[in-house]
Amino acid sequence: SIIILYIISKMSKANEKPAGLFLLEGISCMVFNKDFTQVALSKKDNLIYIYSVKDFMKPDSWQLLHTLDSHVQYVSGLDWNAHTNEILSCSYDKTSFVWEFSNNKWTPSNVVVTTKLGYLCCKWNSRGDKFCEGTSSKHLYIGYYNTESKWWMGRNIKAHKSSVVTCEIDPSSLFVISGSTDLRVYVSSCYIPAVDDSYIKDKSLAKEFGTPIYEFRPNSWLNSVTWTPSGNLGIAAAQNSIIAVINYKDSKTDEIKCKHSPVTKVIPSGDNSFYAVCYDRNIVEYEKKGDKWDIKRTITTDTAKKSGPAAGGRGSAVSDALKKFQTMGQQKKENLAVTSKQSSHLHQSIISSVNIKGKDMITTDVSGFVKYWKL
């Protein structure tokens, strides 16, 4: 069934047991650690909040552990590496930090790069020894730890002509896919010998750092890019409702012309399947059969049907409920937000983060809703 928890509170003490977690300001990004026992999130401000997770399905049981305050402007990206347990964060304030936990404290290390404008996105590689970051100043940075200087450094890949809004390193850590408001997707080499050589089995795959491998132009700005688990395919979603499945090794791209709204995030679910999180707040699963990519299911609709009439549909009952909520006074909204556990397959606004644990998907939106899906 679908569970929506829309909860608010204002917490200042780490040992405070919250009535709820998420402010009306909303959630800009949220990531879990490896075993989903802790979660890090930002509430559209300059702070990073870390909670212990007692019950994955009950956010009102989570306890605030730490508040990280090294950023001074909006936190635009968060990622928690499963291998090293380090958190990567970036912000509009032109700073990026790698957070390490020791002695019951999160300590930040500044990433030494020069950017004239703020960061927009960040993502670890699987090993936790490199990461990629996009900026408003058209830079795509590859971060790595310099053992000689004992600092996290960054190298710039000069591919894009406008803001880099989404990026991800492939499973081999040799290539990075990036998307920009310059209407281009690039696959580039992010090979750094000092970091990668001890892991490479076939050095013929390694290309000089920054070498362009493949380019695709969907004629619209990009919203999200990712890799399939094998790393053989890259997936990119553009604002014009085109999803590109990129086989960079063969220089081929399958274009999926979606009949639904544009996709804000793409999440791989296998080498031949992925989830598309849409602007209309539906979640669609695509699957490749033969040479063609087709919609396997619309998860919102399927799940709503399974959960019965209480879950609501895309009809007047849901529309009336949303209109009623939107016209409420502030106090009534807050009272409802604290106490309600509503069944609906609609988020209130654009989905801001997606996390998957086994057969459970947890999504958040920028208005503060948290929602669970059975996959």
Side-chain angles (χ1 to χ4, degrees):
S1 62
I2 299 174
I3 305 169
I4 288 185
L5 305 177
Y6 183 29
I7 341 172
I8 61 169
S9 72
K10 295 195 176 182
M11 298 172 288
S12 57
K13 299 178 181 178
N15 60 357
E16 182 179 353
K17 185 174 181 179
L21 290 177
F22 309 123
L23 305 179
L24 285 176
E25 291 94 307
I27 301 168
S28 57
C29 43
M30 184 170 79
V31 291
F32 289 83
N33 66 349
K34 179 180 180 179
D35 56 7
F36 280 71
T37 58
Q38 293 187 24
V39 63
L41 60 89
S42 182
K43 301 170 184 176
K44 293 172 65 178
D45 55 20
N46 65 306
L47 302 177
I48 300 167
Y49 305 88
I50 298 178
Y51 299 92
S52 65
V53 177
K54 293 185 178 181
D55 188 333
F56 173 72
M57 299 291 286
K58 295 181 179 179
D60 54 352
S61 70
W62 301 354
Q63 295 258 343
L64 181 65
L65 297 176
H66 308 277
T67 301
L68 313 183
D69 60 358
S70 291
H71 290 294
V72 296
Q73 292 182 21
Y74 183 98
V75 176
S76 53
L78 279 175
D79 198 21
W80 200 325
N81 189 267
H83 181 69
T84 65
N85 197 42
E86 292 176 324
I87 295 175
L88 175 65
S89 67
C90 64
S91 168
Y92 287 176
D93 64 10
K94 298 180 282 188
T95 63
S96 173
F97 294 104
V98 174
W99 300 84
E100 183 178 356
F101 188 72
S102 61
N103 299 321
N104 200 36
K105 182 181 179 181
W106 286 97
T107 303
S109 294
N110 190 26
V111 180
V112 183
V113 296
T114 301
T115 178
K116 295 180 180 180
L117 298 173
Y119 288 94
L120 301 176
C121 57
C122 63
K123 189 78 174 179
W124 281 111
N125 71 342
S126 58
R127 301 192 305 251
D129 55 9
K130 286 200 307 191
F131 54 83
C132 56
E133 296 179 309
T135 74
S136 296
S137 52
K138 67 187 178 184
H139 297 306
L140 170 62
Y141 287 111
I142 304 298
Y144 66 100
Y145 190 74
N146 188 308
T147 55
E148 294 181 0
S149 63
K150 297 183 179 180
W151 281 100
W152 286 93
M153 310 291 289
R155 295 183 63 180
N156 181 23
I157 294 178
K158 298 178 181 180
H160 293 286
K161 298 180 180 180
S162 186
S163 299
V164 180
V165 296
T166 177
C167 56
E168 187 171 319
I169 296 174
D170 84 317
S172 74
S173 289
L174 296 179
F175 305 100
V176 60
I177 186 171
S178 56
S180 167
T181 53
D182 65 5
L183 320 185
R184 291 172 172 84
V185 179
Y186 281 104
V187 176
S188 310
S189 170
C190 61
Y191 166 58
I192 300 176
V195 180
D196 296 309
D197 275 355
S198 60
Y199 298 95
I200 298 177
K201 296 180 180 179
D202 183 1
K203 286 195 175 183
S204 66
L205 298 176
K207 309 296 181 183
E208 184 180 354
F209 182 88
T211 300
I213 307 298
Y214 187 72
E215 175 187 356
F216 174 70
R217 301 187 183 188
N219 296 317
S220 181
W221 69 81
L222 278 300
N223 292 328
S224 180
V225 295
T226 190
W227 294 95
T228 57
S230 67
N232 291 327
L233 299 174
I235 307 171
Q239 184 63 21
N240 60 354
S241 294
I242 285 180
I243 301 175
V245 182
I246 298 169
N247 184 337
Y248 69 97
K249 295 177 181 177
D250 295 335
S251 299
K252 294 194 306 183
T253 296
D254 292 333
E255 285 190 50
I256 304 171
K257 296 181 179 179
C258 307
K259 295 182 180 179
H260 50 71
S261 69
V263 174
T264 178
K265 293 184 182 297
V266 279
I267 311 294
S269 56
D271 285 332
N272 291 301
S273 60
F274 62 88
Y275 301 111
V277 181
C278 306
Y279 268 93
D280 65 4
R281 304 175 298 281
N282 279 300
I283 301 172
V284 179
E285 184 176 13
Y286 279 87
E287 183 178 51
K288 188 173 186 179
K289 293 183 177 180
D291 295 329
K292 189 177 180 182
W293 290 87
D294 287 317
I295 293 178
K296 180 180 179 181
R297 56 177 172 155
T298 301
I299 296 174
T300 42
T301 303
D302 290 349
T303 312
K305 288 179 180 178
K306 290 178 183 177
S307 57
R314 297 185 61 82
S316 60
V318 173
S319 299
D320 291 344
L322 294 179
K323 288 177 182 177
K324 183 177 180 181
F325 180 83
Q326 291 164 355
T327 56
M328 280 182 182
Q330 185 69 11
Q331 188 60 50
K332 286 186 177 180
K333 276 187 179 181
E334 293 183 2
N335 291 339
L336 177 63
V338 171
T339 59
S340 67
K341 293 182 178 180
Q342 302 176 30
S343 293
S344 168
H345 73 280
L346 288 178
H347 271 286
Q348 284 288 310
S349 59
I350 294 173
I351 295 175
S352 59
S353 70
V354 181
N355 291 270
I356 296 177
K357 179 188 178 186
K359 293 295 184 180
D360 293 311
M361 177 186 288
I362 179 171
T363 57
T364 64
D365 68 30
V366 295
S367 68
F369 273 89
V370 157
K371 183 174 179 183
Y372 295 91
W373 311 88
K374 290 293 183 182
L375 299 177

